[in-house]
Amino acid sequence: MVDFDNLLFRASSMGDIMTGVEKGWSVDKSITCQRKLVQIYRELTWGRRANKTNKYTEKGTKVEENSITTYCRVKKTMYKKNDVRLTNNFFTGEFDLYEGVEILKANKIIDIKSSYDWTTFPSICDKLEPKYDYQIHTYMDLTGASNGVIAHVLENNTPEAINKLKLFAKYEKGMLDSGGNESDAYIAKCVEIEKNHIYDIELFKKSLETFDELFEFHTSDWHYDIPIHQRVHEIEVVRDEAKIEKMKNRVIECREWMKKNFN
């Protein structure tokens, strides 16, 4: 039996939960919100957790520590690492870094987002995505922080991931010659893959020291590093009490909707 009256909502789910709120939609009018509530209910009652692992999330998980190091180097600040999942009466969440005396007295919280490659790395042209806005406000409510940062970091992909990309490329049409050897087109493709996924060659070579498989460089003359300060893009968010209040009201509405539909 689910205790809907005390159900907590994850920070990462608040983007879906809040869909339509700014348009005045109730939960009954927001299919996106309803679908998220169904998923949450099934996770709780069926004993499962949605696993939406893909190349983007896999990279984010594997390079998280490197991304945190890169961010701290660029900011020239050793932020405190958070490894605690926080909860209050509405939300639950775990972010990456904070600034302050201790976590519940943080004045700033930072959540790191590792971009998949340079084409998905945000720029000054990009605004804060609503899902990240709600996520960072959830963290601010959990800690009391008055400021938050979504920090996008462009970090090397892993040798394993790059090898997989090369392997997939090998079996594309025209990538092998008549004798089954690597064609010029395949080598050019591998060079492109390396340029698209390696931004700090010395750090990448260091990662090869603990890599158990063979990694073959196809770029003979490497001069494609991206300066570290250009590999961090942060968006600052100031705490908005009215927004947090809307989020809490939505949680209450979601609890009532679930009680009505799932009991």
Side-chain angles (χ1 to χ4, degrees):
M1 190 71 177
V2 180
D3 181 8
F4 294 112
D5 289 324
N6 295 295
L7 184 62
L8 303 181
F9 288 79
R10 294 190 294 269
S12 58
S13 72
M14 288 309 297
D16 288 339
I17 294 300
M18 294 296 289
T19 301
V21 168
E22 298 303 322
K23 298 179 181 179
W25 293 359
S26 64
V27 174
D28 285 322
K29 289 187 176 181
S30 176
I31 296 299
T32 300
C33 178
Q34 291 176 29
R35 285 175 174 160
K36 176 57 70 172
L37 296 179
V38 169
Q39 178 185 316
I40 291 170
Y41 177 73
R42 288 178 174 175
E43 287 179 349
L44 293 171
T45 59
W46 292 0
R48 289 163 170 80
R49 180 72 184 271
N51 183 10
K52 296 183 178 180
T53 300
N54 53 42
K55 64 182 182 180
Y56 304 99
T57 57
E58 283 183 0
K59 181 186 177 182
T61 299
K62 291 180 179 179
V63 307
E64 179 182 19
E65 290 302 321
N66 286 343
S67 292
I68 288 173
T69 299
T70 293
Y71 180 74
C72 290
R73 285 179 61 196
V74 168
K75 300 300 291 182
K76 297 180 180 179
T77 303
M78 288 302 298
Y79 292 101
K80 296 176 182 177
K81 181 78 166 65
N82 172 47
D83 56 5
V84 177
R85 175 163 288 275
L86 301 177
T87 62
N88 60 18
N89 292 331
F90 298 90
F91 311 117
T92 178
E94 183 177 347
F95 51 89
D96 295 309
L97 305 169
Y98 68 95
E99 180 182 81
V101 178
E102 52 100 0
I103 196 166
L104 293 180
K105 293 181 180 179
N107 53 59
K108 179 188 290 187
I109 56 95
I110 302 119
D111 204 46
I112 303 292
K113 307 295 182 186
S114 300
S115 297
Y116 177 68
D117 63 18
W118 71 273
T119 66
T120 62
F121 181 60
S123 72
I124 57 174
C125 302
D126 297 296
K127 296 181 180 179
L128 180 65
E129 293 183 48
K131 64 179 180 180
Y132 293 149
D133 191 6
Y134 289 122
Q135 186 176 13
I136 208 77
H137 269 89
T138 302
Y139 296 144
M140 284 192 278
D141 188 59
L142 287 166
T143 60
S146 57
N147 293 279
V149 172
I150 294 291
H152 296 273
V153 180
L154 185 59
E155 199 62 48
N156 292 335
N157 210 333
T158 64
E160 179 185 16
I162 294 175
N163 267 355
K164 284 182 179 179
L165 290 169
K166 290 181 177 181
L167 182 62
F168 294 152
K170 180 173 286 189
Y171 296 103
E172 292 179 9
K173 184 177 180 180
M175 290 302 175
L176 298 178
D177 62 24
S178 58
N181 300 310
E182 296 178 355
S183 66
D184 290 342
Y186 172 71
I187 294 173
K189 181 70 173 181
C190 288
V191 170
E192 180 184 340
I193 289 171
E194 290 173 2
K195 288 164 61 177
N196 284 343
H197 292 274
I198 300 173
Y199 317 108
D200 181 332
I201 193 65
E202 293 306 318
L203 185 61
F204 184 77
K205 288 179 179 178
K206 188 174 181 180
S207 71
L208 293 176
E209 296 174 3
T210 56
F211 187 54
D212 295 332
E213 301 174 27
L214 175 66
F215 186 90
E216 180 185 0
F217 280 105
H218 288 81
T219 309
S220 57
D221 181 22
W222 184 268
H223 53 274
Y224 302 106
D225 272 10
I226 299 176
I228 189 170
H229 68 276
Q230 294 182 19
R231 294 191 283 113
V232 170
H233 176 75
E234 56 182 353
I235 303 175
E236 298 185 0
V237 183
V238 178
R239 184 185 181 108
D240 184 338
E241 291 294 347
K243 183 171 292 184
I244 292 174
E245 190 64 23
K246 286 181 181 179
M247 292 165 63
K248 291 179 177 179
N249 288 337
R250 186 64 153 195
V251 166
I252 294 171
E253 185 186 356
C254 287
R255 289 169 174 170
E256 292 300 317
W257 188 90
M258 294 176 82
K259 285 167 63 176
K260 180 178 70 175
N261 288 279
F262 299 138
N263 267 339

